[in-house]
Amino acid sequence: MGQTMTEVLLVTGATGTVGQHAVAALADRDVAVKSGVRNPKTVSTEIADAGAVVAFDFTKPETWGDALVDVDGVFLVRPPAVSEADINSFVDAAARVGVDHVAYLSTLGAEKNVLIPHHRIEKHIMGTDIQYTLLRSSFFMQNLLEVHRPDIVERNEIFVPAGRGETSFVDARDIGEAAAVVLTESGHTNRAYDLTGPEALDYGTVATICSDVLDRPITYPNPSLLAFARRMRRRGKPLGFIALMCGIYTTARLGLAARVTEDSRRLLGRPPRTMRAFIEDYAAEFQADS
Ligand SMILES: NC(=O)c1ccc[n+]([C@@H]2O[C@H](COP(=O)([O-])OP(=O)(O)OC[C@H]3O[C@@H](n4cnc5c(N)ncnc54)[C@H](OP(=O)(O)O)[C@@H]3O)[C@@H](O)[C@H]2O)c1
């Protein structure tokens, strides 16, 4: 345990989709937040105002010492490009310096899918002396604003090869808040939570909600894996990324991403955000850049 009364919590991936909301949620609590980022000079004022900002890079172990000074708990996000080995070495370093608790952002079903890095990283964390909380999250609603945004704003379509499979989309803001809960309240150590939104929707229904809220027709053409791969390739996405996306959307196609749980509601003390609320809140970002 640290000498001070105030717990110090390190957030990795602090500028990312989930991390930024974990930082904001922790800043509202009685803890000291440390945002670990590769380039401290470029962080938003929200992150700078939330607490300390430290230079941190999973691929540069020389940055880990400063980042871990006085840290009691870590919100651990694996950036997609960082190797499993680097994440595991960082976890070992955290264990060595006496970090008490790691909350790890994982993916729904990671416990059963031995092929994915999340499965092995979860096991690695559980094999250390650190107390852990696994946040196994469903598909982020925010994916619509990231990799799929060009299709929505330029072509008014949602172009994902998910067939008619349903997905229990979760809002990254809710995951960030859930991370703050598990790291600052008692009763969440050595546990795993399946974080989903309140309902499972197919992409046709998501397109209908988008049309309704954005007040312009958005369609779901239900593309094949090949059509999706071709479009991503034309957009210059690397083959490895395209293969990963095809694998992920195949799970959705098969209905394996549809499970809805009560874990988000239990942790947040309120229902998780709906897809409609997400699109309403981010409506301006679904418009073409002027
Ligand atoms: N998308 C989904 O639907 C979904 C669902 C379930 C689970 N997940 C999991 O969520 C994780 C990604 O979370 P996210 O979407 O919030 O991340 P993200 O938006 O991709 O952000 C990644 C963050 O990592 C930082 N970063 C990149 N390289 C780094 C390095 N070498 N060292 C330290 N930091 C580095 C980046 O910050 P700087 O560039 O500022 O350093 C950025 O803040 C993945 O593990 C993914 O498998 C995603």
Side-chain angles (χ1 to χ4, degrees):
M1 286 293 263
Q3 296 288 304
T4 53
M5 292 298 287
T6 308
E7 269 206 310
V8 180
L9 298 173
L10 172 68
V11 177
T12 64
T15 58
T17 307
V18 175
Q20 61 179 299
H21 300 296
V23 170
L26 285 168
D28 285 342
R29 292 170 175 252
D30 190 18
V31 292
V33 186
K34 226 175 169 183
S35 295
V37 302
R38 282 183 297 178
N39 190 349
K41 291 200 185 94
T42 59
V43 298
S44 64
T45 45
E46 285 85 359
I47 290 176
D49 292 347
V53 179
V54 285
F56 171 74
D57 191 324
F58 283 110
T59 66
K60 294 184 179 152
E62 63 274 22
T63 65
W64 300 353
D66 281 350
L68 287 169
V69 168
D70 291 335
V71 165
D72 300 293
V74 176
F75 179 48
L76 182 63
V77 176
R78 175 193 172 223
V82 169
S83 74
E84 185 182 324
D86 283 339
I87 301 290
N88 289 344
S89 301
F90 174 68
V91 169
D92 292 342
R96 273 196 306 276
V97 300
V99 168
D100 291 324
H101 187 186
V102 166
Y104 178 59
L105 176 57
S106 185
T107 191
L108 205 59
E111 70 280 19
K112 286 176 290 196
N113 190 346
V114 297
L115 297 176
I116 59 173
H118 285 303
H119 178 86
R120 296 182 295 267
I121 294 169
E122 284 191 358
K123 282 203 150 158
H124 187 85
I125 295 169
M126 289 189 274
T128 67
D129 292 335
I130 305 184
Q131 303 186 81
Y132 62 84
T133 311
L134 307 174
L135 299 174
R136 296 181 179 137
S137 303
S138 189
F139 281 60
F140 304 166
M141 294 176 184
Q142 278 74 1
N143 294 344
L144 295 173
L145 272 178
E146 291 165 8
V147 65
H148 307 305
R149 182 175 180 273
D151 301 306
I152 298 175
V153 300
E154 291 162 19
R155 297 176 178 239
N156 289 320
E157 60 185 23
I158 302 178
F159 206 78
V160 300
R164 296 282 166 212
E166 292 184 336
T167 297
S168 55
F169 299 95
V170 61
D171 193 314
R173 294 174 293 182
D174 287 340
I175 305 172
E177 283 176 41
V181 169
V182 302
L183 281 166
T184 58
E185 296 179 15
S186 58
H188 302 297
T189 53
N190 301 343
R191 302 195 58 171
Y193 295 104
D194 292 335
L195 298 184
T196 75
E199 58 198 340
L201 304 170
D202 65 25
Y203 281 88
T205 308
V206 176
T208 304
I209 299 171
C210 283
S211 307
D212 236 41
V213 174
L214 302 175
D215 204 21
R216 66 180 201 269
I218 310 281
T219 60
Y220 173 53
N222 192 358
S224 66
L225 286 163
L226 190 61
F228 173 78
R230 281 206 188 108
R231 184 174 293 185
M232 287 287 134
R233 200 65 197 129
R234 274 202 302 276
R235 211 168 271 159
K237 299 285 184 198
L239 284 175
F241 173 82
I242 297 172
L244 181 71
M245 297 287 285
C246 286
I248 287 173
Y249 283 115
T250 298
T251 63
R253 217 179 170 88
L254 296 171
L256 301 174
R259 197 155 52 90
V260 174
T261 75
E262 287 295 308
D263 286 0
S264 305
R265 180 194 294 266
R266 284 200 203 100
L267 288 178
L268 300 169
R270 59 163 174 81
R273 291 172 169 94
T274 62
M275 179 62 84
R276 178 172 287 273
F278 164 74
I279 296 171
E280 283 169 357
D281 291 349
Y282 289 90
E285 293 178 42
F286 283 109
Q287 311 301 336
D289 301 324
S290 46

